[in-house]
Amino acid sequence: MLGEEKRNAIGRNICAARQRRDMTQGRLAELAGVAVEDIAHAEDGIGDISLELLLEICAATGTAPEAILAGAYVEDNAREGSSLGGETFSFEDIQPEDRALMEHILYFMAHKKPTR
């Protein structure tokens, strides 16, 4: 389980990514295939966000997972150094305890079959 501080930071980053795309919570929920309440809860840091929802949010907003999980969202660096085509990712802003999770997420994303 993530601590409250980490959940709140992730929520702020989700909100920033959504707003960067000029998207409402409703539109993001539609693209992610979840209820608006799920997006609102994720942005408010209520409960833990599932890996599946995180990946759907990243896909819908065009944001790299490390930008959501890294702490402070930096718009200009959200996609910098990120690729699922076998290139390296920048883990600079990710805490050591989160790196194993990020490596798993990135592996999953690189090998995920399209569902749409």
Side-chain angles (χ1 to χ4, degrees):
M1 263 178 111
L2 296 173
E4 182 179 353
E5 185 177 320
K6 185 68 170 177
R7 284 193 316 267
N8 289 335
I10 290 170
R12 285 189 302 272
N13 293 341
I14 291 169
C15 183
R18 176 180 60 77
Q19 290 175 343
R20 177 178 50 87
R21 291 294 214 159
D22 197 28
M23 225 183 261
T24 65
Q25 286 183 343
R27 179 66 179 143
L28 179 54
E30 180 182 321
L31 291 172
V34 298
V36 176
E37 292 78 16
D38 294 329
I39 299 299
H41 287 168
E43 288 186 5
D44 291 339
I46 298 172
D48 288 332
I49 184 171
S50 71
L51 174 60
E52 182 178 11
L53 179 55
L54 172 66
L55 297 176
E56 291 296 335
I57 288 170
C58 289
T61 60
T63 305
E66 66 267 27
I68 299 291
L69 296 176
Y73 180 84
V74 180
E75 180 178 336
D76 293 340
N77 295 329
R79 298 295 298 171
E80 187 176 303
S82 300
S83 171
L84 295 178
E87 296 179 37
T88 59
F89 285 82
S90 171
F91 287 96
E92 277 179 30
D93 297 328
I94 298 178
Q95 299 300 316
E97 62 271 15
D98 295 330
R99 289 186 184 180
L101 174 62
M102 273 307 308
E103 288 171 0
H104 177 75
I105 291 169
L106 297 173
Y107 177 85
F108 175 80
M109 289 180 68
H111 296 88
K112 182 180 177 186
K113 294 182 174 135
T115 57
R116 293 175 201 210

